[in-house]
Amino acid sequence: MGSRFPSHQLSNGLYVSGRPEQPKEKAPVICSAAMPYTGGDIKKSGELGKMFDLHVEKSRKSGPLGNQPSRNTSFGGAGSNSGPVSSAIGRSNYSGSISSAVPGAGGSARAKSNSGPLNKHGEPGKKSSGPQSGGVTPMARQNSGPLPPVLPTTGLITSGPISSGALNSSGAARKVSGPLDSSVSMKIRATSFAHNQAVTNLNVEDGYSIKGSIPKTILWMVVLLFVMGFIAGGFILGAVHNPILLVVVVVIFCFVAALVIWNVCWGTRGATGFISHYPDVDLRTAKDGQYVKVTGVVTCGNFPLESSFQRVPRCVYTSTCLYEYRGWESKAANTEHRRFTWGLRSTERHAVDFYISDFQSGLRALVKTGYGARVTPHVDESVVIDINPDNKDLSPEFLRWLRERNLSSDDRIMRLKEGYIKEGSTVSVMGVVQRNDNVLMIVPPSEPISTGCQWAKCILPTSLDGLVLRCEDTSNIDVIPV
């Protein structure tokens, strides 16, 4: 049929105008595995979960791949992988799918969809939420969008396990939360008290000391005078046979020795008597820099204490002392321990800042006894337990307390005393008033305070250094709830 317009015949016999269409290559059909029902869980949503940097619950991996996957366009027996290809394959970007030959049993493998980057061996890269140990180099994670900023370490101590499982990737035991052993917890608490800047460690023996009440110059002068008196009295007695001077020196020496022994025995009571008779001051009328005595109810500050043996909570001052009696053949508790006396073997005294509510004015003041302040405590201690070789096995708590401090429990006569100031107790505080930005504080004085001579009681003067705390034994006294 001749015509100006080209025509062609269809398969059904009809003639139509125009040239026949050129056969086009059939577009490949991409098949992917059906995604399971997520039920609204974003962790199972595939690409959407990767946008939020979440871990997929179950990894969908293809079968084992070869070391160097080939890039062909055949889709038979290959796993379809959408996404970028690792550097070992190439840096080219493909809009379609790239397949790789998969060796398998019988020359065929099942096709499964993998979403995410491939590593250098052709396997999907595993995501990790932290550093991996055991020599595994973590791969960079692919995120849609900018990476979140790295938050700085805050140093907060939180409860709960660091990670799940019994062992980590390096084989070491994981740290999990839970109740600690009592000995471990006690050691941790004692260590925290000893190294905490807010806690003042007063590990010195308190009480009256004759060396502290009399200056060394005067003490050595008195000793020298007595030596000269005895020499002179003996010389006169031998030369003239007159014992008057020697008798006078002996009488004076006996009087001084009795005075010293009296002060050693009753000097501490003289100091507490001075504190008790010192008049209280109303904080409303107290001037800045004035040395005052305030009596009131105690309230804990930011760091309450706990007693060492009885574990009394919410204390502002704790004292635990272990004494030993030394017989003729017993061991000495310290270098200055004399025979047939009680000697101090171990002491633990701690103090922290606290608040006191004045009875007279009702004002509340901050007492600065923490952070290494100078403190003179006069707190009554009660005997907690007496131990001898016959009953030492009857108190497992006491033996545990000794083991925690690496103290031996052999055949010794021991006595444990403990004193504390707990919240709600009535306490007398002596110190200097300091007002700073409407904050009322009681701080240690710059110089020690002398108690003066108490002639009626034959008590020599002693010095009170720093803040003075006075509290009677509160073990059997009900405290005021706060």
Side-chain angles (χ1 to χ4, degrees):
M1 179 187 303
S3 175
R4 293 166 50 183
F5 300 99
S7 61
H8 65 280
Q9 187 179 8
L10 299 177
S11 60
N12 56 6
L14 293 178
Y15 286 89
V16 293
S17 62
R19 293 185 176 87
E21 290 185 353
Q22 298 295 330
K24 296 182 179 180
E25 185 178 357
K26 203 169 185 179
V29 179
I30 302 175
C31 297
S32 62
M35 293 294 293
Y37 176 67
T38 63
D41 189 359
I42 197 172
K43 296 181 179 180
K44 301 178 181 179
S45 301
E47 296 292 336
L48 184 59
K50 288 202 302 179
M51 292 174 61
F52 289 91
D53 196 17
L54 297 176
H55 306 286
V56 180
E57 292 284 338
K58 192 174 182 181
S59 176
R60 297 182 303 275
K61 290 171 61 175
S62 62
L65 300 178
N67 292 335
Q68 296 296 333
S70 60
R71 279 185 281 168
N72 50 33
T73 57
S74 172
F75 291 91
S80 175
N81 297 286
S82 63
V85 183
S86 62
S87 60
I89 300 177
R91 301 184 58 89
S92 304
N93 295 326
Y94 294 87
S95 60
S97 299
I98 299 177
S99 63
S100 57
V102 182
S108 63
R110 302 180 62 182
K112 290 189 178 181
S113 173
N114 289 283
S115 174
L118 299 179
N119 59 15
K120 64 180 180 179
H121 298 295
E123 296 179 357
K126 296 181 180 179
K127 290 186 177 182
S128 61
S129 60
Q132 298 178 356
S133 60
V136 180
T137 304
M139 294 188 60
R141 292 178 291 183
Q142 300 293 335
N143 300 304
S144 59
L147 292 175
V150 180
L151 297 178
T153 303
T154 60
L156 295 178
I157 301 175
T158 58
S159 62
I162 295 178
S163 56
S164 61
L167 299 176
N168 57 18
S169 58
S170 62
R174 294 187 183 276
K175 297 179 180 179
V176 296
S177 63
L180 296 175
D181 182 65
S182 59
S183 61
V184 177
S185 61
M186 287 294 293
K187 289 181 180 179
I188 293 175
R189 180 165 60 251
T191 305
S192 63
F193 287 167
H195 296 85
N196 197 322
Q197 295 181 354
V199 181
T200 300
N201 297 316
L202 306 171
N203 294 332
V204 293
E205 186 176 4
D206 59 352
Y208 183 84
S209 176
I210 192 67
K211 297 180 181 179
S213 60
I214 300 177
K216 291 184 178 181
T217 304
I218 298 178
L219 185 61
W220 283 108
M221 288 180 61
V222 171
V223 173
L224 183 60
L225 288 176
F226 275 114
V227 171
M228 295 176 62
F230 278 112
I231 294 175
F235 179 77
I236 293 176
L237 178 62
V240 188
H241 302 285
N242 189 354
I244 296 178
L245 181 60
L246 184 60
V247 171
V248 171
V249 172
V250 170
V251 171
I252 295 176
F253 177 79
C254 292
F255 175 77
V256 173
L259 183 64
V260 170
I261 295 174
W262 176 266
N263 279 266
V264 170
C265 296
W266 300 96
T268 302
R269 293 191 179 184
T272 55
F274 171 81
I275 297 172
S276 301
H277 292 89
Y278 199 91
D280 291 339
V281 176
D282 192 345
L283 288 178
R284 291 175 298 185
T285 59
K287 299 180 181 179
D288 192 11
Q290 180 181 355
Y291 189 82
V292 298
K293 173 192 170 186
V294 178
T295 303
V297 180
V298 166
T299 307
C300 289
N302 297 330
F303 194 86
L305 300 175
E306 184 181 62
S307 62
S308 176
F309 184 77
Q310 296 176 311
R311 298 185 182 181
V312 179
R314 299 196 65 79
C315 298
V316 299
Y317 169 83
T318 59
S319 173
T320 305
C321 300
L322 178 64
Y323 297 90
E324 286 186 2
Y325 182 81
R326 185 184 183 186
W328 181 256
E329 297 180 353
S330 302
K331 298 179 181 179
N334 52 66
T335 57
E336 299 180 357
H337 190 192
R338 296 182 299 273
R339 286 181 172 85
F340 307 109
T341 58
W342 288 93
L344 181 63
R345 184 180 182 187
S346 175
T347 177
E348 296 178 7
R349 289 191 177 96
H350 307 288
V352 291
D353 292 349
F354 63 92
Y355 295 93
I356 185 171
S357 299
D358 184 20
F359 280 154
Q360 295 189 6
S361 62
L363 294 180
R364 193 180 185 209
L366 175 62
V367 183
K368 300 292 292 182
T369 52
Y371 295 93
R374 293 176 289 111
V375 180
T376 301
H378 286 275
V379 180
D380 293 344
E381 298 177 350
S382 59
V383 178
V384 178
I385 187 172
D386 279 320
I387 296 295
N388 54 52
D390 298 331
N391 64 354
K392 68 175 184 178
D393 296 332
L394 300 179
S395 179
E397 290 295 325
F398 179 72
L399 297 179
R400 174 193 56 80
W401 188 86
L402 291 177
R403 288 193 302 268
E404 291 170 357
R405 286 148 185 82
N406 297 324
L407 299 176
S408 61
S409 58
D410 48 4
D411 296 339
R412 302 190 185 195
I413 301 176
M414 293 177 284
R415 173 176 294 173
L416 185 67
K417 290 185 177 182
E418 194 166 59
Y420 48 82
I421 301 175
K422 58 184 176 180
E423 192 173 48
S425 302
T426 300
V427 178
S428 296
V429 179
M430 298 179 67
V432 176
V433 175
Q434 181 176 340
R435 301 178 185 271
N436 187 10
D437 296 335
N438 296 326
V439 177
L440 184 60
M441 296 186 295
I442 301 178
V443 299
S446 57
E447 297 180 357
I449 303 299
S450 178
T451 60
C453 291
Q454 302 179 29
W455 300 109
K457 299 179 180 180
C458 297
I459 300 296
L460 297 176
T462 185
S463 298
L464 301 177
D465 190 15
L467 284 168
V468 180
L469 303 180
R470 172 58 183 153
C471 181
E472 297 181 355
D473 185 13
T474 58
S475 59
N476 299 322
I477 301 176
D478 294 333
V479 298
I480 300 175
V482 293

